């Protein structure tokens, strides 16, 4: 009886784990679900408010402006313009989003970050980028390459990755992500710009840094390239 009970517990845990795995951007049960905030003008489909399909237009499924360079006048000298369901309602429930990334010459940086809800494929359109990602514990292997126009790189789900413009001209890249809301967590911002600040003792030990340096880093402004 004990073996049977253990087997049932194992199956229950497996089923629970499977439910978490499939919890991200589940497949829709209808052709589309144009996101809308007005419940009076919407129908409930798959537990979400969607615009009545009879009222959907082509404008719900198109977006103009990704050809316009982003403002890179910031600390990182880069800009990310991500198109999610907030800007393009027709993306709702489709599990995809797109971003344009602009880099200033000689050091424009999309800093180390990760997406908690999606993988990413990046295509270089202009310039020369040094890009890569780091694997999780315990190996922390760096996979990196210098990319030129036409080159692609994939950043696996949840892994820290980055892009740096090492060229003398501006660089432009397009990224496709496997979630309508992939999220982003920039490592330096999260660690040194946390609100409220993390106790310095934690960062001194974790990063092998001097306490004064940690406290100085925590007083600096940490910006996102958006």
């Amino acid at each position: 009886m004990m073996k049977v009970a253990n087997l049932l517990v194992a199956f229950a845990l497996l089923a629970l784990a499977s439910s978490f795995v499939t919890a991200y951007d589940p497949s829709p049960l209808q052709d589309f679900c144009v996101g809308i905030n007005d419940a009076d003008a919407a129908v409930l489909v798959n537990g979400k408010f969607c615009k009545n399909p009879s009222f959907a237009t082509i404008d719900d499924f198109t977006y103009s402006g990704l050809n316009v360079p982003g403002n890179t006048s910031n600390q990182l000298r880069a800009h990310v313009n991500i198109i999610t369901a907030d800007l393009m309602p027709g993306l709702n429930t489709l599990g995809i989003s797109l971003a344009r990334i602009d880099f200033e010459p000689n050091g424009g940086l999309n800093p180390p970050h990760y997406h908690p809800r999606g993988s990413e494929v990046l295509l270089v359109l202009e310039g020369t980028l040094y890009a890569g990602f780091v694997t999780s514990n315990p190996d922390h292997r760096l996979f990196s390459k210098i990319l030129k126009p036409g080159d692609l790189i994939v950043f696996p789900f949840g892994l820290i990755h980055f892009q740096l413009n090492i060229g003398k001209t501006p660089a432009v890249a397009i990224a496709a992500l496997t979630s309508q809301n992939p999220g982003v967590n920039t490592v330096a911002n999260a660690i040194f710009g946390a609100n409220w600040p993390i106790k310095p003792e934690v960062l001194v030990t974790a990063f092998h840094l001097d306490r004064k340096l940690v406290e100085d880093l925590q007083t600096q402004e940490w910006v996102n390239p958006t």
Side-chain angles (χ1 to χ4, degrees):
M1 288 295 293
M2 184 62 68
K3 290 184 178 180
V4 174
N6 289 340
L7 187 60
L8 290 174
V9 170
F11 275 122
L13 290 174
L14 180 61
L16 183 62
S18 298
S19 69
F20 284 129
V21 169
T22 59
Y24 295 100
D25 290 16
S27 299
L29 299 180
Q30 69 286 332
D31 288 341
F32 55 80
C33 171
V34 176
I36 191 171
N37 294 322
D38 183 4
D40 293 333
V43 293
L44 193 65
V45 180
N46 275 16
K48 298 291 185 181
F49 280 114
C50 308
K51 179 185 287 188
N52 188 319
S54 299
F55 301 147
T57 71
I58 188 60
D59 292 336
D60 294 318
F61 302 94
T62 59
Y63 176 86
S64 297
L66 212 59
N67 61 312
V68 179
N71 183 4
T72 56
S73 299
N74 56 56
Q75 186 184 71
L76 299 169
R77 300 169 54 223
H79 182 272
V80 178
N81 182 15
I82 185 164
I83 309 303
T84 64
D86 291 333
L87 293 176
M88 193 173 173
L91 287 175
N92 189 47
T93 74
L94 299 185
I96 53 174
S97 55
L98 195 72
R100 170 180 172 139
I101 312 170
D102 291 277
F103 304 83
E104 286 191 7
N106 300 310
L109 174 68
N110 191 11
H113 64 281
Y114 66 90
H115 304 288
R117 294 180 291 277
S119 302
E120 176 181 345
V121 177
L122 182 130
L123 167 66
V124 179
L125 298 181
E126 301 175 14
T128 304
L129 295 178
Y130 168 60
F133 64 89
V134 180
T135 63
S136 57
N137 296 352
D139 296 330
H140 301 137
R141 290 183 63 193
L142 171 65
F143 290 82
S144 65
K145 190 172 184 177
I146 294 175
L147 305 175
K148 296 184 178 180
D151 289 345
L152 287 164
I153 185 171
V154 62
F155 302 122
F157 194 111
L159 295 187
I160 294 172
H161 56 281
F162 60 86
Q163 304 101 40
L164 173 71
N165 185 2
I166 61 174
K168 297 180 179 179
T169 60
V172 181
I174 294 292
L177 299 109
T178 61
S179 170
Q180 72 176 55
N181 182 24
V184 61
N185 200 353
T186 305
V187 178
N189 300 34
I191 297 299
F192 297 106
N195 186 19
W196 292 82
I198 298 172
K199 286 186 176 297
E201 294 85 350
V202 174
L203 304 183
V204 166
T205 302
F207 290 92
H208 304 179
L209 296 174
D210 177 79
R211 183 186 180 96
K212 187 176 184 302
L213 177 58
V214 168
E215 292 175 343
D216 178 62
L217 288 170
Q218 289 183 312
T219 63
Q220 295 185 23
E221 181 182 2
W222 297 93
V223 301
N224 292 311
T226 53

